[in-house]
Amino acid sequence: MKKILVIDDEEWLREMVHLALQQKGFEVVEAENGERGIEIARKELPDLILCDVNMQKVDGYHTLSSLRNEPATASIPFILMTGLADHAGMRHGMELGADDYLPKPFTIEALYAAVDVRLKKVTAVRQEAERKLADLRENISLMLPHELRTPLNGILAYGEILSSDSATLQPQEIAEMGQVIYHSAKRLEHLVENFLIFAQLELLGSDPQKLQALRKETASPASLVEQQARAQAERANRPNDIRLDLKDVPVQMSDEYLGKVVGELVQNAFKFSQPGTIVDVELSGAGEHVVLVVTDRGRGLSPEQITKIGAYMQFDRKMHEQQGLGLGLTICKRLVELHGGTLSIQSEVGRGTTVTVKLPRASRQ
């Protein structure tokens, strides 16, 4: 049985709404003001809240704001009831996170319709989240065993040698084995990080409120892009193979996620190109968008490979030992799409690949 909390300082209205909803099979709890409503919402965690705007002590806007700022109550559907449904008030309520407005006076049919729409939307969002979670489990079950085994094999094999034969090994041999263990562990760390980000993004995509909170901005991205690009060049032992052309254009993506996108794309460019060939990284503005372009002169991808980018897809795994392309590109593509952008790939086998990212441009304050 769905539970609905009704918050209003007019007793006759609470009783009317209570009776109407009860006849529809809902469990109803009441609060006579916003202060009491916040307490009951925290305790009862209702499936939906109907709240008057104009009340003594704590009004509907403050009630809404308080509940939206608490993790346990932030996602509860919230309908504001008011006899003063002006555009400014409605806009303010929506900015605070209201799901709907119910103008007073309202009919029983209007009440039922508003409640029904909100609860159906919550059900749809939950079902979509469950579907994404099922897809996520399937993707991880397909990919995780192989991806974890590869770096773990290096760690376990050389760890065993070091523990059993250390007395007979030369210092140079021990150092080389230590390097292999270190690089395998770093690859494993990167893999786990990518899986966690992938899982987070898949679940975020079905939660509009969390998705909105995700969209922050980087006011001066050029230095961040340069830092990430040069770091990847150093890791690939190719510091002279990077060429940058960066314009400082504010972008609608946090520095954390922008850094992740740049790092993954530049890392892939170095992985799949030969030492001595240039990797270009460009950042510029184009109207309402910020454009990031990463170009390599490597082995390239076929049209079939480009269309099959997915979390469980590794291109030519038997032929090429480098791993992580499928998941890394999938994370980049998902991150860009969640921020209202696009990621496209142009490639020719044997000649190289160009990845173009377009993101919304942030307005300077």
Side-chain angles (χ1 to χ4, degrees):
M1 181 184 293
K2 298 289 187 182
K3 183 185 297 183
I4 297 178
L5 170 60
V6 181
I7 308 172
D8 200 298
D9 56 0
E10 295 183 276
E11 185 177 359
W12 69 269
L13 182 62
R14 293 201 312 272
E15 291 178 352
M16 183 270 289
V17 173
H18 188 140
L19 181 61
L21 293 174
Q22 205 168 46
Q23 288 177 343
K24 278 287 188 178
F26 295 109
E27 179 184 350
V28 183
V29 288
E30 298 180 27
E32 65 274 14
N33 55 57
E35 184 178 43
R36 180 64 178 148
I38 293 170
E39 294 175 4
I40 294 176
R42 290 169 177 163
K43 180 181 178 182
E44 299 288 341
L45 296 178
D47 297 289
L48 184 141
I49 298 173
L50 288 160
C51 182
D52 187 29
V53 171
N54 298 306
M55 295 181 292
Q56 297 296 322
K57 292 188 177 180
V58 179
D59 66 15
Y61 296 132
H62 284 90
T63 302
L64 170 60
S65 179
S66 296
L67 295 177
R68 285 290 181 256
N69 288 326
E70 297 184 20
T73 57
S75 61
I76 298 175
F78 200 105
I79 300 176
L80 286 169
M81 304 182 292
T82 177
L84 301 172
D86 60 285
H87 291 298
M90 292 177 68
R91 185 169 59 251
H92 180 53
M94 293 301 180
E95 288 172 353
L96 291 174
D99 294 281
D100 202 357
Y101 262 86
L102 193 58
K104 293 180 180 180
F106 50 81
T107 64
I108 298 299
E109 288 73 20
L111 171 66
Y112 288 156
V115 169
D116 187 54
V117 166
R118 288 302 116 197
L119 292 179
K120 281 183 177 178
K121 184 175 181 180
V122 169
T123 301
V125 169
R126 184 178 294 116
Q127 289 174 344
E128 176 66 10
E130 290 171 354
R131 185 190 67 78
K132 286 183 176 292
L133 191 57
D135 290 344
L136 179 62
R137 290 194 190 101
E138 182 180 1
N139 285 339
I140 289 177
S141 68
L142 286 169
M143 185 179 179
L144 192 57
H146 175 86
E147 295 300 335
L148 287 178
R149 191 179 298 119
T150 303
L152 277 176
N153 282 343
I155 294 171
L156 291 172
Y158 283 105
E160 182 179 2
I161 293 173
L162 288 173
S163 63
S164 60
D165 300 330
S166 58
T168 63
L169 295 173
Q170 297 298 316
Q172 181 62 30
E173 292 176 315
I174 293 175
E176 290 174 357
M177 291 182 188
Q179 281 294 313
V180 172
I181 291 173
Y182 173 77
H183 289 303
S184 295
K186 291 298 290 183
R187 193 164 84 179
L188 187 59
E189 178 188 44
H190 182 254
L191 175 65
V192 171
E193 178 187 83
N194 274 356
F195 269 110
L196 292 175
I197 292 174
F198 175 67
Q200 179 189 33
L201 294 179
E202 286 303 295
L203 296 178
L204 272 175
S206 58
D207 191 326
Q209 290 178 345
K210 290 182 180 178
L211 185 58
Q212 189 61 34
L214 174 79
R215 294 174 175 170
K216 300 178 182 179
E217 68 176 63
T218 300
S220 302
S223 60
L224 173 65
V225 173
E226 179 176 3
Q227 178 184 354
Q228 287 292 328
R230 293 197 184 281
Q232 294 300 331
E234 291 289 342
R235 290 191 185 103
N237 294 317
R238 296 170 57 183
N240 297 323
D241 289 351
I242 191 79
R243 185 163 59 195
L244 305 174
D245 182 8
L246 309 176
K247 306 293 190 299
D248 225 4
V249 188
V251 60
Q252 198 68 47
M253 179 180 273
S254 70
D255 55 358
E256 176 187 0
Y257 286 131
L258 180 61
K260 182 66 178 175
V261 170
V262 174
E264 289 291 338
L265 295 183
V266 176
Q267 181 186 63
N268 280 338
F270 280 116
K271 273 185 180 180
F272 299 102
S273 63
Q274 294 298 316
T277 61
I278 295 295
V279 171
D280 284 304
V281 181
E282 302 171 35
L283 184 72
S284 61
E288 297 299 313
H289 293 92
V290 176
V291 182
L292 170 71
V293 182
V294 179
T295 303
D296 67 64
R297 280 87 179 163
R299 63 184 178 88
L301 304 172
S302 69
E304 292 76 20
Q305 290 173 327
I306 293 173
T307 60
K308 291 180 180 178
I309 291 174
Y312 52 86
M313 180 70 186
Q314 301 291 320
F315 302 131
D316 294 343
R317 179 179 280 145
K318 294 179 181 177
M319 188 180 302
H320 303 276
E321 292 183 358
Q322 298 99 326
Q323 298 181 27
L325 175 62
L327 184 58
L329 272 180
T330 298
I331 288 173
C332 291
K333 191 171 188 296
R334 193 72 177 121
L335 266 174
V336 169
E337 290 173 346
L338 289 174
H339 285 78
T342 61
L343 183 150
S344 59
I345 302 173
Q346 290 182 315
S347 188
E348 185 176 346
V349 175
R351 296 183 66 87
T353 300
T354 296
V355 181
T356 302
V357 171
K358 289 185 178 180
L359 288 164
R361 185 172 186 156
S363 57
R364 292 189 184 274
Q365 300 299 319

